[in-house]
């Protein structure tokens, strides 16, 4: 299941740099984007509503079976999966082997248990998908659109498009893929094409539907994905700005004080360290939303420009995590941030690491080999 959740949706951007032929997007994208929309961040309590519970004298195997079925219900995986990140149900009794129960359920033909057993095996997922399992089909499509062949990408895109109107997971997956396409390729510098304006509109329209009620982490992803295409469409900008405003209002960018650990963590430090790491992740998300929203406010994307508020958001991001994008943006806005100059200055006599382009990293790239004559 973790392989589906983490390697599936999160891997969409990895394959988005591989260009594929455009197909006619959904005809109602512009209508969706031009219409007013109300967005709501749902709480963990909202997500857990209806989650199976373990009775004091209940059967553990029955509880696990019900919980797994609930988790993988089509259309709810993007929000319910967070409740499964610990690796087992939240009410699992101590001393019970969860994996053994899943294995037994899978042998009995329990669909969700079979899905989990096959999550790390492409062949197993493909076989389940062929039998009609909706979540397995989603997992296969997400994998194919990310790292499949050109034809597999096209087929996966078309399948996700057909499912998106009634399946939020499919809408999120396809919308994220379309908006993740970049002109420069991914971290391994694999080239590809940027999302076209029609793809931006279709992807944003799909995500607008998901954002009408979504958890904070999903809302942040949607806002940053849509905000990464400023100026393409006024409707996209307007919705992205509204979503990012919600995320900023629900997050805290107060700088953290690092715990006073020694050079090596002691056994008793682990709990405090993990709590600090969690807070760092939350702070990073808060800063990301602020930097994205500030950029839209500064340039008037999605509404009137607001330089004063953009400056405040950039300043908050810079103070919270010394965000270099905020530092550069404030300089461009004419704000004095000279107190941060030493932090971003290149080492004396060394390379300016902030200006390095991919492949430079302090050394010249070797000249390409000469082509053999034809």
């Amino acid at each position: 299941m973790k392989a589906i959740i983490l390697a599936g949706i999160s891997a969409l951007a990895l394959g988005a740099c591989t260009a594929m032929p455009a197909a006619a997007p959904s005809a109602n994208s512009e209508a969706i984007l031009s219409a007013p929309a109300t967005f709501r961040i749902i709480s963990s309590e909202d997500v857990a509503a209806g989650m199976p519970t373990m009775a004091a004298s209940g059967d553990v195997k029955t509880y696990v079976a019900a919980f797994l079925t609930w988790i993988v219900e089509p259309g709810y995986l993007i929000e319910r999966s967070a409740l499964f990140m610990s690796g087992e149900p939240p009410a699992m009794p101590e001393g019970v082997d969860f994996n053994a129960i899943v294995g037994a359920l899978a042998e009995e033909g329990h669909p969700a248990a079979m899905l989990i057993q096959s999550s790390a095996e492409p062949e197993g997922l493909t076989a389940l998908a062929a039998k009609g399992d909706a979540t397995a089909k989603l997992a296969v499509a997400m994998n194919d659109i990310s790292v499949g062949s050109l034809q597999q990408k096209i087929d996966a895109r078309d399948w996700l498009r057909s499912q998106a109107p009634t399946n939020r997971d499919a809408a999120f997956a396809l919308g994220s893929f379309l908006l993740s396409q970049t002109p420069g390729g991914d971290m391994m510098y694999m080239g590809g094409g940027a999302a076209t304006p029609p793809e931006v509109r279709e992807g944003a329209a799909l995500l607008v539907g998901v954002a009408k009620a979504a958890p904070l982490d999903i809302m942040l992803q949607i806002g940053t994905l849509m905000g990464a295409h400023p100026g393409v469409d006024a409707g996209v900008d307007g919705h992205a700005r509204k979503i990012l405003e919600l995320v900023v209002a629900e997050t805290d960018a107060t700088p953290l004080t690092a715990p006073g650990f020694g050079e090596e963590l002691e056994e008793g430090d682990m709990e405090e360290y993990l709590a600090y790491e969690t807070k760092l992740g939350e702070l990073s998300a808060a800063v990301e939303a602020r930097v994205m929203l500030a950029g839209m406010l500064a340039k008037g994307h999605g509404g009137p420009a607001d330089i004063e508020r953009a400056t405040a958001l950039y300043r908050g991001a810079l103070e919270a995590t010394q965000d270099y994008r905020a530092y550069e943006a404030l300089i461009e806005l004419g704000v004095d941030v000279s107190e941060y100059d030493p932090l971003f200055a290149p080492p004396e006599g060394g390379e300016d690491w902030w200006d390095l382009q991919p492949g430079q990293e302090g050394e010249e790239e070797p000249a390409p080999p000469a082509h053999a004559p034809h």
Side-chain angles (χ1 to χ4, degrees):
M1 178 55 62
K2 284 187 177 181
I4 296 173
I5 297 164
L6 300 178
I9 291 178
S10 300
L12 291 170
L14 186 62
C17 55
T18 304
M20 63 181 177
S26 174
N28 65 346
S29 294
E30 292 188 10
I32 293 172
L33 294 173
S34 61
T38 300
F39 304 114
R40 179 172 67 92
I41 294 176
I42 61 176
S43 66
S44 56
E45 290 77 16
D46 292 329
V47 174
M51 180 177 66
T53 57
M54 175 68 187
S57 58
D59 179 68
V60 177
K61 188 175 180 182
T62 301
Y63 163 66
V64 170
F67 180 84
L68 296 181
T69 298
W70 179 81
I71 280 285
V72 303
E73 182 180 354
Y76 296 94
L77 187 61
I78 57 174
E79 53 198 50
R80 293 179 181 176
S81 59
L83 299 173
F84 196 54
M85 288 304 173
S86 66
E88 59 183 42
M92 197 70 181
E94 289 187 18
V96 176
D97 190 337
F98 170 70
N99 291 326
I101 294 177
V102 173
L105 288 169
E107 289 181 3
E108 296 170 7
H110 187 278
M114 293 173 66
L115 183 67
I116 292 174
Q117 290 286 86
S118 304
S119 61
E121 304 170 1
E123 298 82 4
L125 285 175
T126 301
L128 282 176
K131 293 179 181 179
D133 186 284
T135 305
K137 287 183 178 180
L138 175 71
V140 170
M142 289 161 57
N143 182 72
D144 286 349
I145 203 170
S146 180
V147 297
S149 67
L150 180 59
Q151 187 59 52
Q152 285 176 320
K153 286 176 178 288
I154 293 171
D155 292 343
R157 178 200 58 196
D158 293 345
W159 184 84
L160 289 169
R161 183 178 282 158
S162 73
Q163 300 300 303
T166 57
N167 186 323
R168 282 159 42 88
D169 296 327
F172 181 72
L174 180 56
S176 298
F177 173 80
L178 292 172
L179 295 185
S180 295
Q181 297 176 108
T182 60
D186 64 11
M187 67 182 70
M188 293 180 288
Y189 315 121
M190 296 169 62
T196 64
E199 288 174 330
V200 170
R201 294 187 186 96
E202 180 182 12
L206 291 168
L207 295 183
V208 161
V210 177
K212 289 181 179 179
L216 179 60
D217 60 332
I218 298 299
M219 203 72 86
L220 172 63
Q221 292 181 58
I222 291 173
T224 52
L225 280 168
M226 291 173 61
H229 301 272
V232 172
D233 183 277
V236 175
D237 290 343
H239 290 311
R241 185 158 154 174
K242 194 172 181 180
I243 291 168
L244 288 168
E245 287 281 12
L246 268 180
V247 175
V248 166
E250 289 290 324
T251 55
D252 183 8
T254 302
L256 291 175
T257 300
F261 298 127
E263 292 185 4
E264 295 185 6
L265 286 177
E266 302 291 336
E267 184 176 349
D269 295 333
M270 187 55 65
E271 185 174 341
E272 185 180 2
Y273 172 77
L274 292 175
Y276 176 66
E277 286 289 301
T278 298
K279 290 180 180 178
L280 275 181
E282 293 171 351
L283 179 60
S284 176
V287 165
E288 188 65 32
R290 281 156 175 77
V291 170
M292 184 68 71
L293 177 59
M296 302 191 78
L297 291 168
K299 297 178 181 177
H301 291 304
D306 189 339
I307 301 301
E308 183 177 354
R309 184 143 184 270
T311 299
L313 288 169
Y314 278 135
R315 171 68 76 172
L318 181 58
E319 292 174 352
T321 60
Q322 292 77 56
D323 190 277
Y324 184 64
R325 298 165 299 173
Y327 171 76
E328 281 194 316
L330 287 169
I331 291 175
E332 291 179 5
L333 291 173
V335 179
D336 180 11
V337 288
S338 55
E339 70 268 30
Y340 288 93
D341 289 349
L343 180 65
F344 298 110
E348 187 174 349
E351 297 281 355
D352 184 355
W353 290 94
W354 301 105
D355 285 336
L356 287 178
Q357 298 299 315
Q360 288 182 312
E361 300 184 1
E363 297 182 3
E364 293 185 7
E365 293 187 68
H371 291 289
H374 293 287

